[in-house]
mmCIF file with all atom_site columns, all heavy atoms in Angstrom:
data_model
loop_
_atom_site.group_PDB
_atom_site.id
_atom_site.type_symbol
_atom_site.label_atom_id
_atom_site.label_alt_id
_atom_site.label_comp_id
_atom_site.label_asym_id
_atom_site.label_entity_id
_atom_site.label_seq_id
_atom_site.pdbx_PDB_ins_code
_atom_site.Cartn_x
_atom_site.Cartn_y
_atom_site.Cartn_z
_atom_site.occupancy
_atom_site.B_iso_or_equiv
_atom_site.pdbx_formal_charge
_atom_site.auth_seq_id
_atom_site.auth_comp_id
_atom_site.auth_asym_id
_atom_site.auth_atom_id
_atom_site.pdbx_PDB_model_num
ATOM 1   N N   . TYR A 1 198 ? -18.439 -4.712  17.047 1.00 98.00 ? 198 TYR A N   1
ATOM 2   C CA  . TYR A 1 198 ? -17.279 -3.770  17.451 1.00 98.00 ? 198 TYR A CA  1
ATOM 3   C C   . TYR A 1 198 ? -17.737 -2.923  18.615 1.00 98.00 ? 198 TYR A C   1
ATOM 4   O O   . TYR A 1 198 ? -18.876 -2.535  18.759 1.00 98.00 ? 198 TYR A O   1
ATOM 5   C CB  . TYR A 1 198 ? -16.879 -2.942  16.274 1.00 98.00 ? 198 TYR A CB  1
ATOM 6   C CG  . TYR A 1 198 ? -16.228 -3.782  15.141 1.00 98.00 ? 198 TYR A CG  1
ATOM 7   C CD1 . TYR A 1 198 ? -17.019 -4.242  14.085 1.00 98.00 ? 198 TYR A CD1 1
ATOM 8   C CD2 . TYR A 1 198 ? -14.957 -4.222  15.229 1.00 98.00 ? 198 TYR A CD2 1
ATOM 9   C CE1 . TYR A 1 198 ? -16.437 -5.052  13.092 1.00 98.00 ? 198 TYR A CE1 1
ATOM 10  C CE2 . TYR A 1 198 ? -14.398 -5.054  14.326 1.00 98.00 ? 198 TYR A CE2 1
ATOM 11  C CZ  . TYR A 1 198 ? -15.117 -5.413  13.204 1.00 98.00 ? 198 TYR A CZ  1
ATOM 12  O OH  . TYR A 1 198 ? -14.531 -6.285  12.258 1.00 98.00 ? 198 TYR A OH  1
ATOM 13  N N   . ALA A 1 199 ? -16.783 -2.710  19.510 1.00 98.00 ? 199 ALA A N   1
ATOM 14  C CA  . ALA A 1 199 ? -17.074 -1.896  20.700 1.00 98.00 ? 199 ALA A CA  1
ATOM 15  C C   . ALA A 1 199 ? -15.948 -0.960  20.983 1.00 98.00 ? 199 ALA A C   1
ATOM 16  O O   . ALA A 1 199 ? -14.758 -1.343  20.814 1.00 98.00 ? 199 ALA A O   1
ATOM 17  C CB  . ALA A 1 199 ? -17.403 -2.761  21.875 1.00 98.00 ? 199 ALA A CB  1
ATOM 18  N N   . ALA A 1 200 ? -16.190 0.149   21.519 1.00 98.00 ? 200 ALA A N   1
ATOM 19  C CA  . ALA A 1 200 ? -15.144 1.130   21.897 1.00 98.00 ? 200 ALA A CA  1
ATOM 20  C C   . ALA A 1 200 ? -14.613 0.672   23.249 1.00 98.00 ? 200 ALA A C   1
ATOM 21  O O   . ALA A 1 200 ? -15.418 0.367   24.192 1.00 98.00 ? 200 ALA A O   1
ATOM 22  C CB  . ALA A 1 200 ? -15.699 2.560   22.068 1.00 98.00 ? 200 ALA A CB  1
ATOM 23  N N   . SER A 1 201 ? -13.347 0.564   23.383 1.00 98.00 ? 201 SER A N   1
ATOM 24  C CA  . SER A 1 201 ? -12.766 0.101   24.598 1.00 98.00 ? 201 SER A CA  1
ATOM 25  C C   . SER A 1 201 ? -11.479 0.796   25.029 1.00 98.00 ? 201 SER A C   1
ATOM 26  O O   . SER A 1 201 ? -10.671 1.228   24.143 1.00 98.00 ? 201 SER A O   1
ATOM 27  C CB  . SER A 1 201 ? -12.340 -1.414  24.330 1.00 98.00 ? 201 SER A CB  1
ATOM 28  O OG  . SER A 1 201 ? -11.382 -1.957  25.227 1.00 98.00 ? 201 SER A OG  1
ATOM 29  N N   . GLY A 1 202 ? -11.301 0.966   26.339 1.00 98.00 ? 202 GLY A N   1
ATOM 30  C CA  . GLY A 1 202 ? -10.134 1.563   26.906 1.00 98.00 ? 202 GLY A CA  1
ATOM 31  C C   . GLY A 1 202 ? -8.955  0.599   26.961 1.00 98.00 ? 202 GLY A C   1
ATOM 32  O O   . GLY A 1 202 ? -7.800  0.936   27.320 1.00 98.00 ? 202 GLY A O   1
ATOM 33  N N   . CYS A 1 203 ? -9.169  -0.661  26.571 1.00 98.00 ? 203 CYS A N   1
ATOM 34  C CA  . CYS A 1 203 ? -8.106  -1.668  26.647 1.00 98.00 ? 203 CYS A CA  1
ATOM 35  C C   . CYS A 1 203 ? -7.845  -2.249  25.227 1.00 98.00 ? 203 CYS A C   1
ATOM 36  O O   . CYS A 1 203 ? -7.401  -3.395  25.107 1.00 98.00 ? 203 CYS A O   1
ATOM 37  C CB  . CYS A 1 203 ? -8.505  -2.872  27.600 1.00 98.00 ? 203 CYS A CB  1
ATOM 38  S SG  . CYS A 1 203 ? -8.921  -2.314  29.156 1.00 98.00 ? 203 CYS A SG  1
ATOM 39  N N   . ALA A 1 204 ? -8.026  -1.443  24.230 1.00 98.00 ? 204 ALA A N   1
ATOM 40  C CA  . ALA A 1 204 ? -7.860  -1.988  22.893 1.00 98.00 ? 204 ALA A CA  1
ATOM 41  C C   . ALA A 1 204 ? -6.458  -2.224  22.495 1.00 98.00 ? 204 ALA A C   1
ATOM 42  O O   . ALA A 1 204 ? -6.191  -2.825  21.419 1.00 98.00 ? 204 ALA A O   1
ATOM 43  C CB  . ALA A 1 204 ? -8.518  -0.929  21.894 1.00 98.00 ? 204 ALA A CB  1
ATOM 44  N N   . ASP A 1 205 ? -5.541  -1.808  23.337 1.00 97.00 ? 205 ASP A N   1
ATOM 45  C CA  . ASP A 1 205 ? -4.076  -2.057  23.025 1.00 97.00 ? 205 ASP A CA  1
ATOM 46  C C   . ASP A 1 205 ? -3.548  -3.297  23.871 1.00 97.00 ? 205 ASP A C   1
ATOM 47  O O   . ASP A 1 205 ? -2.331  -3.411  24.021 1.00 97.00 ? 205 ASP A O   1
ATOM 48  C CB  . ASP A 1 205 ? -3.230  -0.863  23.287 1.00 97.00 ? 205 ASP A CB  1
ATOM 49  C CG  . ASP A 1 205 ? -3.575  0.269   22.326 1.00 97.00 ? 205 ASP A CG  1
ATOM 50  O OD1 . ASP A 1 205 ? -3.810  -0.063  21.151 1.00 97.00 ? 205 ASP A OD1 1
ATOM 51  O OD2 . ASP A 1 205 ? -3.723  1.456   22.730 1.00 97.00 ? 205 ASP A OD2 1
ATOM 52  N N   . SER A 1 206 ? -4.453  -3.967  24.468 1.00 97.00 ? 206 SER A N   1
ATOM 53  C CA  . SER A 1 206 ? -4.013  -5.135  25.287 1.00 97.00 ? 206 SER A CA  1
ATOM 54  C C   . SER A 1 206 ? -3.215  -6.087  24.582 1.00 97.00 ? 206 SER A C   1
ATOM 55  O O   . SER A 1 206 ? -3.294  -6.295  23.343 1.00 97.00 ? 206 SER A O   1
ATOM 56  C CB  . SER A 1 206 ? -5.269  -5.881  25.873 1.00 97.00 ? 206 SER A CB  1
ATOM 57  O OG  . SER A 1 206 ? -4.889  -7.092  26.505 1.00 97.00 ? 206 SER A OG  1
ATOM 58  N N   . GLU A 1 207 ? -2.303  -6.769  25.259 1.00 98.00 ? 207 GLU A N   1
ATOM 59  C CA  . GLU A 1 207 ? -1.377  -7.825  24.679 1.00 98.00 ? 207 GLU A CA  1
ATOM 60  C C   . GLU A 1 207 ? -2.096  -9.128  24.697 1.00 98.00 ? 207 GLU A C   1
ATOM 61  O O   . GLU A 1 207 ? -1.469  -10.157 24.339 1.00 98.00 ? 207 GLU A O   1
ATOM 62  C CB  . GLU A 1 207 ? -0.122  -7.847  25.406 1.00 98.00 ? 207 GLU A CB  1
ATOM 63  C CG  . GLU A 1 207 ? 0.885   -6.685  25.208 1.00 98.00 ? 207 GLU A CG  1
ATOM 64  C CD  . GLU A 1 207 ? 2.107   -6.987  25.856 1.00 98.00 ? 207 GLU A CD  1
ATOM 65  O OE1 . GLU A 1 207 ? 2.148   -7.244  27.057 1.00 98.00 ? 207 GLU A OE1 1
ATOM 66  O OE2 . GLU A 1 207 ? 3.179   -6.857  25.191 1.00 98.00 ? 207 GLU A OE2 1
ATOM 67  N N   . TRP A 1 208 ? -3.237  -9.234  25.244 1.00 98.00 ? 208 TRP A N   1
ATOM 68  C CA  . TRP A 1 208 ? -3.923  -10.506 25.382 1.00 98.00 ? 208 TRP A CA  1
ATOM 69  C C   . TRP A 1 208 ? -5.248  -10.544 24.616 1.00 98.00 ? 208 TRP A C   1
ATOM 70  O O   . TRP A 1 208 ? -5.950  -9.537  24.600 1.00 98.00 ? 208 TRP A O   1
ATOM 71  C CB  . TRP A 1 208 ? -4.187  -10.784 26.907 1.00 98.00 ? 208 TRP A CB  1
ATOM 72  C CG  . TRP A 1 208 ? -2.882  -10.864 27.690 1.00 98.00 ? 208 TRP A CG  1
ATOM 73  C CD1 . TRP A 1 208 ? -2.318  -9.818  28.301 1.00 98.00 ? 208 TRP A CD1 1
ATOM 74  C CD2 . TRP A 1 208 ? -2.143  -12.025 27.929 1.00 98.00 ? 208 TRP A CD2 1
ATOM 75  N NE1 . TRP A 1 208 ? -1.167  -10.225 28.904 1.00 98.00 ? 208 TRP A NE1 1
ATOM 76  C CE2 . TRP A 1 208 ? -1.000  -11.574 28.704 1.00 98.00 ? 208 TRP A CE2 1
ATOM 77  C CE3 . TRP A 1 208 ? -2.219  -13.343 27.549 1.00 98.00 ? 208 TRP A CE3 1
ATOM 78  C CZ2 . TRP A 1 208 ? -0.032  -12.447 29.117 1.00 98.00 ? 208 TRP A CZ2 1
ATOM 79  C CZ3 . TRP A 1 208 ? -1.245  -14.261 27.960 1.00 98.00 ? 208 TRP A CZ3 1
ATOM 80  C CH2 . TRP A 1 208 ? -0.118  -13.805 28.677 1.00 98.00 ? 208 TRP A CH2 1
ATOM 81  N N   . MET A 1 209 ? -5.563  -11.761 24.066 1.00 98.00 ? 209 MET A N   1
ATOM 82  C CA  . MET A 1 209 ? -6.889  -11.918 23.534 1.00 98.00 ? 209 MET A CA  1
ATOM 83  C C   . MET A 1 209 ? -7.706  -12.480 24.737 1.00 98.00 ? 209 MET A C   1
ATOM 84  O O   . MET A 1 209 ? -7.275  -13.377 25.449 1.00 98.00 ? 209 MET A O   1
ATOM 85  C CB  . MET A 1 209 ? -6.845  -13.017 22.484 1.00 98.00 ? 209 MET A CB  1
ATOM 86  C CG  . MET A 1 209 ? -6.327  -12.545 21.109 1.00 98.00 ? 209 MET A CG  1
ATOM 87  S SD  . MET A 1 209 ? -6.279  -13.983 19.970 1.00 98.00 ? 209 MET A SD  1
ATOM 88  C CE  . MET A 1 209 ? -6.116  -13.097 18.425 1.00 98.00 ? 209 MET A CE  1
ATOM 89  N N   . GLY A 1 210 ? -8.986  -11.942 24.834 1.00 98.00 ? 210 GLY A N   1
ATOM 90  C CA  . GLY A 1 210 ? -9.798  -12.436 25.917 1.00 98.00 ? 210 GLY A CA  1
ATOM 91  C C   . GLY A 1 210 ? -10.709 -13.536 25.401 1.00 98.00 ? 210 GLY A C   1
ATOM 92  O O   . GLY A 1 210 ? -11.140 -13.533 24.290 1.00 98.00 ? 210 GLY A O   1
ATOM 93  N N   . SER A 1 211 ? -10.916 -14.631 26.261 1.00 96.00 ? 211 SER A N   1
ATOM 94  C CA  . SER A 1 211 ? -11.812 -15.731 25.817 1.00 96.00 ? 211 SER A CA  1
ATOM 95  C C   . SER A 1 211 ? -12.477 -16.285 27.047 1.00 96.00 ? 211 SER A C   1
ATOM 96  O O   . SER A 1 211 ? -11.897 -16.422 28.052 1.00 96.00 ? 211 SER A O   1
ATOM 97  C CB  . SER A 1 211 ? -10.960 -16.734 25.151 1.00 96.00 ? 211 SER A CB  1
ATOM 98  O OG  . SER A 1 211 ? -11.809 -17.752 24.641 1.00 96.00 ? 211 SER A OG  1
ATOM 99  N N   . HIS A 1 212 ? -13.860 -16.420 26.919 1.00 95.00 ? 212 HIS A N   1
ATOM 100 C CA  . HIS A 1 212 ? -14.619 -16.974 28.000 1.00 95.00 ? 212 HIS A CA  1
ATOM 101 C C   . HIS A 1 212 ? -15.137 -18.338 27.580 1.00 95.00 ? 212 HIS A C   1
ATOM 102 O O   . HIS A 1 212 ? -15.931 -18.445 26.679 1.00 95.00 ? 212 HIS A O   1
ATOM 103 C CB  . HIS A 1 212 ? -15.727 -16.064 28.360 1.00 95.00 ? 212 HIS A CB  1
ATOM 104 C CG  . HIS A 1 212 ? -15.287 -14.827 29.075 1.00 95.00 ? 212 HIS A CG  1
ATOM 105 N ND1 . HIS A 1 212 ? -14.557 -13.784 28.418 1.00 95.00 ? 212 HIS A ND1 1
ATOM 106 C CD2 . HIS A 1 212 ? -15.249 -14.401 30.409 1.00 95.00 ? 212 HIS A CD2 1
ATOM 107 C CE1 . HIS A 1 212 ? -14.232 -12.863 29.273 1.00 95.00 ? 212 HIS A CE1 1
ATOM 108 N NE2 . HIS A 1 212 ? -14.673 -13.157 30.484 1.00 95.00 ? 212 HIS A NE2 1
#
Side-chain angles (χ1 to χ4, degrees):
Y198 291 99
S201 158
C203 303
D205 295 317
S206 170
E207 288 185 306
W208 299 90
M209 283 176 167
S211 185
H212 288 73

